Amino acid sequence: MKVSFNIISFLCILFLSSCQKEIVPKDIFGVWVMQEQNITDGPQFTKLLLDKDNYSFIDPVVCDTIFFFKNVTVSGDTLLLTDGFNHPTQCIIEELHDSVLTLSHVAGFDKEITYKKVFSDSNEPPVIIRASDLSKDSLDVIVKSFLVWDYYQYLNEEHKGAKTYHSLTKAEMLQAKELLRQYMTDGSLEKDQIDNDDAYPFDQYIRQYESYMEKGHLYVRVTLNTFIHTHKEIGCTDLKIDSYSVCDGGPSHANATIDLTDKKVIVFMTNGQA
């Protein structure tokens, strides 16, 4: 009887082991889109781009924070994402097979999130997302991206080293948002607009936030766009980089700088017309 019980136990273990899918590290690379789930709290990480040779990111598209990563490694059931400042983000791979990926502890979020791999034609045109397509609570995005920071540093090469990167918190973003909203609605903007096209109302913009420290002051730089593009084949939106540095697009694209230490907007400029 004992022998039979041991045989049955062994067969059960063997069956369960055969049902488990081996994690193949190369299968993690690609574009992943979150499947609908009953998650009501925490950030909604709707899209992942995990790339072996290029940059990767966790992209909520328009929701709270975009996390940008330089290195992606898989060790056992652990996915390790490292940003350009060598800050690690660790996720647990609960499932990876048949174009399905389930992660837990994504950027500190302890719920399981299931993704499906996206395959698309590289010639597929980008999709336009307009501010008017989104709720007013989904228009503000913090971009924690060393690429954006490097871009700002490049533009200010003669002052390189004077600014230090600051990882903007949501509370700081909300404070900057309110200062910018007041500036754009209390008449201050109209007084400062001289050579630029008149800006659109505050909630007609998707707003991207990046911050830095300089001479003891905390500055928040905001890029404002009435629309963005999302590129399905590479899984990214153009929120990742400051693509509106050229003087084109008129008031559809603007940028502002807020001194959060002195609690005031010090720069606001809409794009010109090429």
Side-chain angles (χ1 to χ4, degrees):
M1 186 71 176
K2 186 176 181 180
V3 174
S4 299
F5 177 77
N6 289 338
I7 292 174
I8 292 172
S9 298
F10 174 77
L11 291 175
C12 287
I13 294 171
L14 186 64
F15 174 75
L16 290 173
S17 299
S18 66
C19 290
Q20 293 177 348
K21 297 284 187 176
E22 181 183 358
I23 294 174
V24 181
K26 67 179 181 62
D27 291 345
I28 200 80
F29 299 114
V31 178
W32 301 88
V33 175
M34 187 178 81
Q35 301 303 288
E36 279 193 37
Q37 296 175 77
N38 295 320
I39 299 176
T40 57
D41 60 332
Q44 303 294 295
F45 299 106
T46 60
K47 190 176 292 184
L48 309 177
L49 170 62
L50 301 175
D51 197 300
K52 181 179 180 181
D53 301 314
N54 294 295
Y55 301 114
S56 302
F57 56 83
I58 298 174
D59 179 7
V61 181
V62 180
C63 173
D64 285 345
T65 308
I66 293 172
F67 297 86
F68 218 119
F69 302 100
K70 192 172 184 178
N71 295 310
V72 178
T73 57
V74 175
S75 178
D77 65 350
T78 300
L79 171 64
L80 184 64
L81 306 167
T82 307
D83 69 14
F85 304 104
N86 293 319
H87 299 151
T89 294
Q90 182 173 299
C91 312
I92 302 300
I93 303 171
E94 304 289 349
E95 181 182 13
L96 176 60
H97 66 88
D98 300 330
S99 301
V100 174
L101 170 64
T102 300
L103 297 175
S104 62
H105 296 87
V106 182
F109 188 47
D110 61 2
K111 298 289 182 67
E112 288 189 0
I113 305 177
T114 298
Y115 298 88
K116 187 173 180 62
K117 185 171 280 188
V118 175
F119 300 94
S120 61
D121 182 358
S122 61
N123 294 318
E124 188 174 345
V127 176
I128 295 177
I129 301 174
R130 301 185 184 279
S132 57
D133 298 330
L134 306 166
S135 72
K136 291 183 179 180
D137 294 331
S138 299
L139 296 174
D140 300 279
V141 185
I142 301 169
V143 179
K144 294 190 176 181
S145 167
F146 64 95
L147 289 182
V148 176
W149 176 244
D150 283 351
Y151 175 78
Y152 295 159
Q153 290 285 71
Y154 173 76
L155 288 182
N156 297 277
E157 188 68 33
E158 69 276 16
H159 303 297
K160 195 168 185 178
K163 299 178 182 179
T164 57
Y165 176 81
H166 176 76
S167 182
L168 192 69
T169 67
K170 187 170 183 180
E172 291 166 341
M173 181 272 281
L174 291 173
Q175 186 180 7
K177 172 186 174 181
E178 181 58 21
L179 289 169
L180 183 59
R181 186 195 66 78
Q182 291 177 5
Y183 176 82
M184 294 180 67
T185 56
D186 67 3
S188 299
L189 175 59
E190 285 79 1
K191 287 189 296 183
D192 289 346
Q193 291 286 80
I194 300 174
D195 297 324
N196 299 303
D197 292 334
D198 291 336
Y200 289 111
F202 181 71
D203 282 326
Q204 289 188 24
Y205 288 106
I206 298 167
R207 298 172 293 268
Q208 167 187 319
Y209 298 79
E210 184 77 10
S211 63
Y212 60 92
M213 296 291 300
E214 185 176 19
K215 296 181 179 178
H217 283 243
L218 173 57
Y219 295 97
V220 180
R221 190 173 187 276
V222 188
T223 301
L224 303 93
N225 306 297
T226 57
F227 63 89
I228 60 173
H229 295 92
T230 179
H231 306 269
K232 187 177 179 182
E233 78 280 1
I234 57 172
C236 79
T237 67
D238 52 15
L239 285 170
K240 305 302 177 308
I241 57 174
D242 189 351
S243 57
Y244 300 109
S245 60
V246 296
C247 292
D248 193 12
S252 292
H253 312 300
N255 64 75
T257 301
I258 301 163
D259 185 333
L260 210 56
T261 303
D262 287 345
K263 296 180 172 54
K264 64 180 181 180
V265 176
I266 58 174
V267 174
F268 189 99
M269 183 178 296
T270 59
N271 279 20
Q273 300 285 0

